Amino acid sequence: MIDNCRTGYFQFDARQDGLYFIVFPPKDGNRPVSIDDVLYYIEKKKINCDTVKLGEAVKAGCNTETEVKVSEEIVHPYAEFVDYRISADCMRAEAVFYPPFVGADMLTMEEIVKDLQYLGIKHGIDNNSIEQMLSVREYGKAYNVAAGTAPRDGQDGYIEYKFNTELKPRPKINDDGTVDFHTLENINHVNKGDVVAVLHREDRGDDGIDLLGRRVLPKKVNHVVFRHGKNLVQSEDGKELISQVSGHVVLEGDKIFVSNVLELVNVDNSTGDIDYDGDVVIKGNVVAGFTVKAAGNITVSGIVEGATVIAGGSITFNRGIQGMTKAVVKAGGSIVSKFIESAESVSAGGSIEADSILHSKVTSKETIKASGKNGLIIGGDVKAVYMIEAKAIGNTMGTNTTVGVGVNPAMKRRVDELKNSLDKLGNNKIQLDQLLSAIRKKQELEGSLDAEKHELQTKTMRNVIMLEQEITKQKKELEELRKQIGEEKRACIKVYDAAYVGVKLVFGDQCMFLKKKYDYCQFVKEGADIKCVAI
């Protein structure tokens, strides 16, 4: 009898008169003997006996110890043994205990470990499980006696996009129910230095080891890399994709593109108004009522109707402006247009050049040239600081046409304003500097400042910084105005064909109405008079 076994179990007893079979009932309601285990045992050990009697004994042994003679043969006693089962993936080994013949040897820890090693198991033998198995000896139960180290599966790499990858332009619905086609979110704006995408590298996981000591690979994961065009650079650690320019970002397939040139077919209901931090190229037209703003240059291949076009750089209109008395065009640099007609306002920080300028208000801080085949300036108000050139100014019909050069009197007044303002700002700064100096001396003498004086010091320093910024800004404006005023002495209006009656010439604060036709000449200011001289 095996004392430490609490489940039902059986033993064979080899005696002189034959083979006996003994069934021990379970303790405390545990599992009774299974006939399947008995049949497996006799098949494993090649024992010939009466299986009917075995079955009857198993049934009776559920409740009481039962002994029955099952064979007349003399059988060699078998020791306790274990049936080992290794899983197909070699990651788990189970052991099922079978009882010894009465009086035969019991297994030890060392013998079980040697058995496992003989089977080729080099990794994962569970000594604790074996000790538990030996202490309890539940026969017929499968114990896990060895386990491989399972691989740790990783995760696919992926790219996190910091912009909308599925732009779908939708018009804005106003509170009154009307539809605003001017405001469409159809551009992913990006500034220089912005992170447009973040790379989350794949986690490849960790290798496992099976019972035979072999490496077990985790599942394959997807490896991802940034695919991108120019104007993008990866961070030092390779995890961020950074824009090198201000412009817009798009995703085509899995490739990221950043450009500081926005290319459009037309500006109309399909695009809405455009406000772009870069260059804009429009292959078609700008429809009336819409606005195009760009920090850089703007190029329009088609017609600009009664629209607003504003550029920080230069503007080029390959066909021209059909203003409908509504068009507003403003450039920080120069403007080149095939023609300018019926524009409410066209202004440039640089020069303006067009084949013809008709019935429009046009101003330039440099020069205006009506060059090309026609070279016309007819109607409207056209003014430049340095020079205006045209083949013809006005027409035979005496259309009211104003052309002017030199500095606007308002600019001179602005110079005086800036001088007075700079004097006041300079005095204020001197006073603030003196106050700061006094506070610092007090701090040096006393070692520290009370809360009130510390707050005064902080406020004063902030005011000094703001004053310095304003002084710098106004000095820059004053310098630019003085430069323009200095160039005013050489301002002129050149006519290579004719200037007609009805034209008003303006030189600064002086004006002259043409009472006759002038051919191939230039107008200049001499003293307080405007005179016509040879080119």
Side-chain angles (χ1 to χ4, degrees):
M1 186 175 181
I2 302 172
D3 294 332
N4 57 350
C5 183
R6 306 194 65 80
T7 60
Y9 66 97
F10 65 90
Q11 282 188 290
F12 286 98
D13 189 4
R15 301 174 185 172
Q16 290 183 353
D17 60 340
L19 183 64
Y20 288 80
F21 178 67
I22 308 169
V23 180
F24 298 92
K27 299 175 182 178
D28 303 326
N30 282 291
R31 178 174 54 85
V33 171
S34 167
I35 186 62
D36 292 334
D37 290 342
V38 177
L39 295 176
Y40 177 80
Y41 189 103
I42 63 174
E43 182 182 355
K44 183 80 173 176
K45 297 302 184 182
K46 308 299 182 185
I47 297 173
N48 294 318
C49 62
D50 189 337
T51 57
V52 175
K53 289 183 177 180
L54 289 177
E56 291 173 349
V58 168
K59 288 180 181 180
C62 290
N63 299 311
T64 184
E65 183 178 329
T66 302
E67 179 181 311
V68 61
K69 185 177 182 180
V70 293
S71 175
E72 298 291 338
E73 294 182 12
I74 304 299
V75 180
H76 176 74
Y78 291 104
E80 186 180 44
F81 73 93
V82 179
D83 184 25
Y84 299 101
R85 302 165 191 173
I86 298 177
S87 63
D89 60 1
C90 291
M91 293 298 289
R92 188 179 70 259
E94 293 180 343
V96 180
F97 259 61
Y98 290 93
F101 273 50
V102 175
D105 293 336
M106 306 282 280
L107 284 170
T108 64
M109 166 75 81
E110 291 74 14
E111 289 173 323
I112 294 173
V113 171
K114 283 183 180 179
D115 286 345
L116 294 172
Q117 291 173 345
Y118 177 79
L119 292 172
I121 297 176
K122 301 176 181 178
H123 173 77
I125 294 176
D126 189 345
N127 291 327
N128 290 333
S129 180
I130 295 172
E131 286 178 356
Q132 182 185 3
M133 184 174 66
L134 292 174
S135 65
V136 177
R137 277 185 162 83
E138 291 189 26
Y139 293 110
K141 176 183 175 180
Y143 287 89
N144 291 320
V145 292
T149 301
R152 183 184 65 82
D153 290 334
Q155 292 182 336
D156 292 339
Y158 67 96
I159 294 175
E160 177 189 358
Y161 299 102
K162 295 295 186 178
F163 57 93
N164 188 352
T165 58
E166 297 180 359
L167 280 178
K168 294 180 180 178
R170 293 185 179 89
K172 178 183 177 182
I173 307 299
N174 296 321
D175 294 338
D176 60 3
T178 58
V179 179
D180 180 6
F181 285 96
H182 291 266
T183 306
L184 302 179
E185 291 297 329
N186 57 353
I187 300 174
N188 283 314
H189 295 278
V190 64
N191 295 316
K192 182 178 180 181
D194 282 355
V195 175
V196 300
V198 177
L199 176 66
H200 296 269
R201 292 197 173 97
E202 71 277 7
D203 175 6
R204 296 184 179 180
D206 298 317
D207 291 349
I209 305 175
D210 70 7
L211 299 178
L212 306 182
R214 300 175 301 187
R215 186 172 65 156
V216 180
L217 298 177
K219 292 180 181 178
K220 284 188 175 181
V221 294
N222 289 331
H223 173 68
V224 294
V225 295
F226 284 129
R227 297 187 67 248
H228 60 87
K230 62 181 182 179
N231 299 325
L232 288 162
V233 64
Q234 293 187 39
S235 59
E236 289 185 7
D237 60 7
K239 292 182 179 180
E240 294 180 336
L241 196 61
I242 302 168
S243 177
Q244 294 180 300
V245 297
S246 293
H248 69 288
V249 55
V250 295
L251 181 67
E252 294 183 6
D254 63 347
K255 194 170 184 179
I256 303 169
F257 293 92
V258 164
S259 175
N260 57 350
V261 179
L262 177 63
E263 295 188 2
L264 301 167
V265 176
N266 295 301
V267 175
D268 51 23
N269 287 343
S270 66
T271 63
D273 293 339
I274 303 300
D275 190 348
Y276 186 69
D277 194 7
D279 297 343
V280 174
V281 176
I282 301 167
K283 298 178 180 179
N285 306 322
V286 181
V287 175
F290 285 88
T291 298
V292 179
K293 293 182 181 180
N297 302 323
I298 295 176
T299 302
V300 182
S301 298
I303 293 289
V304 174
E305 298 175 353
T308 299
V309 180
I310 301 173
S314 298
I315 297 176
T316 301
F317 300 131
N318 292 336
R319 292 187 63 184
I321 303 170
Q322 186 56 261
M324 305 176 180
T325 68
K326 297 178 181 179
V328 175
V329 178
K330 184 177 181 180
S334 61
I335 296 175
V336 176
S337 180
K338 181 71 175 176
F339 65 89
I340 301 172
E341 182 175 347
S342 300
E344 179 182 340
S345 173
V346 176
S347 60
S351 62
I352 296 176
E353 187 171 347
D355 179 69
S356 58
I357 301 173
L358 308 175
H359 310 290
S360 300
K361 183 178 180 180
V362 181
T363 58
S364 166
K365 290 185 178 180
E366 293 184 3
T367 62
I368 296 176
K369 294 182 180 181
S371 56
K373 182 179 178 180
N374 295 309
L376 303 176
I377 298 177
I378 300 174
D381 189 342
V382 179
K383 292 180 180 177
V385 172
Y386 305 140
M387 180 179 66
I388 293 176
E389 287 185 5
K391 285 185 178 180
I393 300 177
N395 58 14
T396 56
M397 299 175 64
T399 301
N400 291 332
T401 304
T402 300
V403 289
V405 291
V407 177
N408 190 306
M411 294 176 68
K412 294 180 179 179
R413 289 195 297 271
R414 177 60 178 161
V415 168
D416 293 335
E417 289 174 2
L418 288 171
K419 287 180 180 178
N420 292 331
S421 177
L422 285 169
D423 285 341
K424 291 179 180 178
L425 291 174
N427 291 332
N428 290 341
K429 186 175 182 301
I430 289 172
Q431 293 176 5
L432 291 175
D433 287 339
Q434 291 173 344
L435 177 58
L436 276 177
S437 178
I439 293 173
R440 290 194 186 100
K441 287 181 179 178
K442 182 176 180 63
Q443 185 177 17
E444 289 173 1
L445 290 172
E446 299 180 0
S448 62
L449 297 173
D450 57 32
E452 184 179 349
K453 286 291 189 293
H454 182 72
E455 183 179 354
L456 177 62
Q457 184 185 43
T458 303
K459 184 177 179 180
T460 305
M461 291 175 67
R462 185 165 56 247
N463 289 338
V464 167
I465 293 171
M466 292 173 65
L467 269 177
E468 289 175 344
Q469 291 175 343
E470 184 62 24
I471 289 170
T472 301
K473 178 183 175 182
Q474 291 191 14
K475 281 183 176 179
K476 184 178 180 181
E477 184 183 356
L478 180 61
E479 184 180 346
E480 184 178 339
L481 289 174
R482 280 174 170 170
K483 180 181 178 182
Q484 292 179 5
I485 292 172
E487 295 288 339
E488 181 186 23
K489 296 176 181 178
R490 293 180 290 174
C492 64
I493 299 171
K494 294 183 179 182
V495 179
Y496 295 104
D497 188 357
Y500 294 92
V501 176
V503 171
K504 178 182 178 181
L505 305 179
V506 178
F507 280 73
D509 53 358
Q510 299 294 321
C511 65
M512 170 183 175
F513 289 92
L514 299 187
K515 296 180 180 180
K516 67 175 184 176
K517 178 185 174 186
Y518 288 83
D519 298 317
Y520 192 75
C521 63
Q522 65 176 333
F523 297 94
V524 297
K525 184 179 180 182
E526 291 184 0
D529 298 324
I530 299 172
K531 293 186 177 182
C532 175
V533 298
I535 294 178

